[in-house]
Coordinates of all heavy atoms in Angstrom, one line a residue:
Chain B
V40 N 5.2 8.3 -21.2 CA 3.8 8.3 -21.7 C 3.8 8.9 -23.1 O 3.1 8.3 -24.0 CB 2.9 9.1 -20.7 CG1 1.5 9.3 -21.3 CG2 2.8 8.4 -19.4
E41 N 4.5 10.0 -23.3 CA 4.4 10.6 -24.7 C 5.0 9.6 -25.7 O 4.5 9.5 -26.8 CB 5.2 11.9 -24.7 CG 4.5 13.0 -24.0 CD 3.0 13.2 -24.4 OE1 2.8 13.2 -25.7 OE2 2.2 13.3 -23.6
E42 N 6.1 8.9 -25.4 CA 6.7 7.9 -26.3 C 5.7 6.8 -26.6 O 5.5 6.4 -27.7 CB 7.9 7.3 -25.6 CG 9.2 8.2 -25.8 CD 10.4 7.4 -25.3 OE1 10.4 6.2 -25.2 OE2 11.4 8.1 -25.0
L43 N 5.0 6.3 -25.5 CA 4.1 5.2 -25.7 C 2.9 5.7 -26.6 O 2.5 4.9 -27.5 CB 3.6 4.7 -24.3 CG 4.7 4.0 -23.5 CD1 4.1 3.7 -22.1 CD2 5.1 2.7 -24.1
K44 N 2.4 6.9 -26.3 CA 1.2 7.4 -27.1 C 1.6 7.5 -28.5 O 0.7 7.3 -29.4 CB 0.8 8.8 -26.5 CG 0.0 8.7 -25.2 CD -0.1 10.1 -24.6 CE -1.2 10.9 -25.3 NZ -1.5 12.1 -24.5
A45 N 2.8 7.8 -28.8 CA 3.2 8.0 -30.2 C 3.3 6.7 -31.0 O 3.4 6.6 -32.2 CB 4.5 8.8 -30.3
R46 N 3.4 5.6 -30.2 CA 3.6 4.3 -30.8 C 2.4 3.8 -31.7 O 2.6 3.4 -32.8 CB 3.8 3.2 -29.7 CG 5.2 3.0 -29.2 CD 5.0 1.9 -28.2 NE 6.3 1.5 -27.7 CZ 6.5 0.5 -26.9 NH1 5.4 -0.2 -26.5 NH2 7.7 0.1 -26.5
E47 N 1.3 3.7 -31.0 CA 0.1 3.1 -31.6 C -1.2 3.7 -31.0 O -1.1 4.2 -29.8 CB 0.1 1.6 -31.3 CG 0.9 0.7 -32.2 CD 0.8 -0.7 -31.8 OE1 -0.3 -1.2 -31.8 OE2 1.9 -1.3 -31.4
E48 N -2.2 3.6 -31.7 CA -3.5 4.1 -31.3 C -4.0 3.6 -29.9 O -4.5 4.4 -29.1 CB -4.6 3.8 -32.4 CG -6.0 4.3 -32.1 CD -6.1 5.8 -32.1 OE1 -5.2 6.4 -32.7 OE2 -7.1 6.3 -31.6
R49 N -3.8 2.3 -29.7 CA -4.3 1.7 -28.4 C -3.6 2.4 -27.2 O -4.2 2.6 -26.2 CB -4.1 0.2 -28.4 CG -2.7 -0.3 -28.6 CD -2.6 -1.7 -28.9 NE -1.2 -2.1 -29.4 CZ -0.4 -2.9 -28.7 NH1 -0.8 -3.4 -27.5 NH2 0.8 -3.1 -29.1
Y50 N -2.3 2.8 -27.4 CA -1.7 3.5 -26.3 C -2.2 4.9 -26.1 O -2.5 5.4 -25.0 CB -0.1 3.6 -26.5 CG 0.6 2.3 -26.4 CD1 0.8 1.5 -27.5 CD2 1.0 1.8 -25.2 CE1 1.5 0.3 -27.4 CE2 1.7 0.6 -25.1 CZ 1.9 -0.2 -26.2 OH 2.6 -1.4 -26.1
A51 N -2.4 5.6 -27.3 CA -3.0 6.9 -27.3 C -4.3 7.0 -26.6 O -4.6 7.9 -25.9 CB -3.1 7.5 -28.7
V52 N -5.1 5.9 -26.9 CA -6.5 5.9 -26.3 C -6.3 5.6 -24.7 O -6.9 6.3 -24.0 CB -7.3 4.7 -26.9 CG1 -8.6 4.5 -26.1 CG2 -7.6 5.0 -28.3
A53 N -5.5 4.7 -24.4 CA -5.3 4.4 -22.9 C -4.8 5.6 -22.1 O -5.2 5.8 -21.0 CB -4.4 3.2 -22.7
F54 N -3.9 6.4 -22.8 CA -3.3 7.5 -22.1 C -3.9 8.8 -22.4 O -3.3 9.9 -22.2 CB -1.8 7.5 -22.4 CG -1.0 6.4 -21.7 CD1 -0.5 5.4 -22.5 CD2 -0.8 6.4 -20.4 CE1 0.2 4.3 -21.9 CE2 -0.1 5.4 -19.8 CZ 0.4 4.3 -20.5
S55 N -5.1 8.8 -23.0 CA -5.7 10.1 -23.5 C -6.0 11.0 -22.3 O -6.0 12.3 -22.5 CB -6.9 9.8 -24.3 OG -7.9 9.1 -23.5
D56 N -6.4 10.5 -21.1 CA -6.7 11.4 -20.0 C -5.9 10.9 -18.8 O -6.3 10.0 -18.1 CB -8.2 11.3 -19.7 CG -8.6 12.1 -18.5 OD1 -7.8 12.9 -18.0 OD2 -9.8 12.0 -18.1
L57 N -4.8 11.6 -18.6 CA -3.9 11.2 -17.4 C -4.6 11.4 -16.1 O -4.2 10.8 -15.1 CB -2.6 12.0 -17.5 CG -1.7 11.6 -18.7 CD1 -0.3 12.2 -18.5 CD2 -1.6 10.1 -18.9

Side-chain angles (χ1 to χ4, degrees):
Chain B
V40 167
E41 289 309 312
E42 280 187 17
L43 292 171
K44 281 169 79 172
R46 273 184 174 184
E47 277 180 60
E48 180 68 14
R49 58 196 167 110
Y50 291 94
V52 170
F54 288 109
S55 61
D56 178 10
L57 291 190

